[in-house]
Amino acid sequence: MKNIKGFKVAVALYTVLVTASCSTSPKGDGTLTFVESNENALTVCHFDQVKNTININLSELVEDLKIIRFENTDNAFFKSCNLCITDHYIGIRQSESLPFLLFDHNGKLKCQVGAIGNGPGEYSQTIYDEAINEKTGEIYLSFFFSLPKVLVYNTDGKFVREIVTKEKLSKPKVEVDDNGDITIIHMPFTYNKEKFLATVYNKNGSFKQELKPTPNFLQENFNQDIFAYHNVPEFSFWLSSCDTLFHYDKNANKIYPKFKMDFGKMSETPLHIYNELPGYYLTAMLWDKGIIAVNKEKQTSNYARLINDFFGHMEAPMFNFSNGWFYQMFEPGRLITQIEKRLADSDCSAKDRKQLETMLESIDEEGNNILFMGKLKQKGK
């Protein structure tokens, strides 16, 4: 991954920091540097100055907590998955060679979306990203590599159309506006004929605009990745080769750098992933090194633990936020283990104990998965 010096070159290519000035926040645990211009503000968190760990209650981030028990029919069972949650639906992206599933908030299977195969509306490649838009009543699936299209289905799982792109997509991320415009960001390669970083099509699949990549975004191989968790109004994404979280402004057709970690003079950069919430920038330090949370409003940075104060004050995964929702999926046996572990804690209150024991008695160990989920509170941009 590139260091901060390499990143400044990338920023210069976008001319967003031509008139930049820097300031350092005196607040909080880790020092934050702010690089500002007329158009943009970039936050830099200095890794070696983040020391302390704080607890964040889940109720500070989400409106409430729903517990979803998925139905126990054969077609509804699933194992490994990624989730796409909306106000009325839960989309389940399964592992390779298994179809996308759509459930309601009661855990009832509504439909299988499309089918595995090579015919119209079918897919045999791994789904890489998805969007469910309740305004348009449609589901959008994009695929891992080398397909120049996004497939569109209705919420009955029936194939509607495909959006054909100018170039084959590589690890594409998608977002859909209420009017049906679809924005795609993918990983452009040096050998692509029609290189683009971002592109927009209308609901009928007609091309509207694209943003060409500057050299720092071009890839020689498939070793890098794009991450986009769709938790804020802006199209927030990061490409690991640039090691910076960016916003794509569709109206201006520009990319703005928003956040990165500065790892200083470390000989080897720790593996990490960025996410963004309305109130925080998150950095997952892999291999159990913890989550760094940068509070945008307070301008502080700390390691953070998420406490589910809706349910037994169990510890929850701090990084599990996607599509504007918190999620925590449990196989029944694992949830039983987690509850028993919490019940054994000396600080488990009588109120929490009653709630946990009631839940424990209700779990069918042979049943389908159980989902904890809550909608993110939205703050100002």
Side-chain angles (χ1 to χ4, degrees), residues 7 10-11 13-14 128 150 165-175 182-190 192-201 207 209-219 224-228 235-250 253-257:
F7 168 71
V11 172
L13 290 169
Y14 276 101
Y128 195 71
V150 173
T165 57
K166 290 185 176 182
E167 185 57 82
K168 295 178 180 178
L169 300 175
S170 302
K171 299 183 176 179
K173 296 295 182 178
V174 299
E175 289 190 358
I182 178 170
T183 304
I184 305 167
I185 291 176
H186 84 137
M187 199 165 66
F189 286 87
T190 55
N192 287 152
K193 294 180 180 179
E194 293 281 352
K195 300 180 182 67
F196 65 84
L197 176 64
T199 188
V200 181
Y201 289 79
F207 173 81
Q209 68 185 37
E210 66 180 21
L211 179 65
K212 295 292 186 181
T214 49
N216 57 297
F217 284 107
L218 292 175
Q219 307 298 311
Q224 302 298 329
D225 216 328
I226 288 185
F227 296 83
F235 199 138
S236 175
F237 75 98
W238 80 281
L239 177 60
S240 55
S241 60
C242 293
D243 194 24
T244 302
L245 188 143
F246 292 92
H247 283 175
Y248 173 55
D249 184 335
K250 186 179 74 170
N253 198 29
K254 291 183 178 180
I255 295 288
Y256 296 105

Side-chain angles (χ1 to χ4, degrees), residues 93 96 123-130 141-150 168-174 184-189 191 221-227:
R93 185 206 318 169
E96 190 174 359
Y123 44 92
S124 57
Q125 201 180 108
T126 301
I127 299 170
Y128 195 71
D129 200 21
E130 60 281 311
L141 302 182
S142 65
F143 301 90
F144 187 67
F145 180 65
S146 198
L147 291 179
K149 60 185 175 182
V150 173
K168 295 178 180 178
L169 300 175
S170 302
K171 299 183 176 179
K173 296 295 182 178
V174 299
I184 305 167
I185 291 176
H186 84 137
M187 199 165 66
F189 286 87
Y191 55 77
N221 54 51
F222 218 59
N223 293 338
Q224 302 298 329
D225 216 328
I226 288 185
F227 296 83

Side-chain angles (χ1 to χ4, degrees), residues 25 27 32 34 278-281 294-300 379-380:
S25 169
K27 303 176 182 179
L32 304 177
F34 302 92
Y280 289 89
Y281 296 115
V294 172
N295 189 307
K296 297 178 183 178
E297 181 179 358
K298 296 181 179 179
Q299 299 180 4
T300 58
K379 298 182 179 181

Side-chain angles (χ1 to χ4, degrees), residues 56-60 62 64-69 306-317 326 328 330 332 334-343 345 347-363 370-374:
I56 298 175
N57 285 329
L58 185 60
S59 62
E60 297 176 29
V62 305
D64 56 14
L65 185 74
K66 295 182 179 181
I67 299 177
I68 310 297
R69 300 172 189 256
L306 186 63
I307 304 301
N308 188 345
D309 54 325
F310 291 105
F311 185 78
H313 287 84
M314 293 172 56
E315 188 169 349
F326 163 79
Q328 188 173 16
F330 291 100
R334 188 165 70 87
L335 180 55
I336 290 170
T337 299
Q338 295 283 37
I339 290 175
E340 290 175 341
K341 180 181 178 181
R342 176 61 183 144
L343 287 169
D345 290 339
D347 66 345
C348 186
S349 69
K351 180 180 179 181
D352 286 346
R353 188 173 298 277
K354 181 179 180 181
Q355 185 184 36
L356 292 164
E357 289 175 343
T358 299
M359 181 69 174
L360 192 61
E361 293 173 357
S362 71
I363 298 173
I370 299 170
L371 173 65
F372 291 6
M373 68 182 202

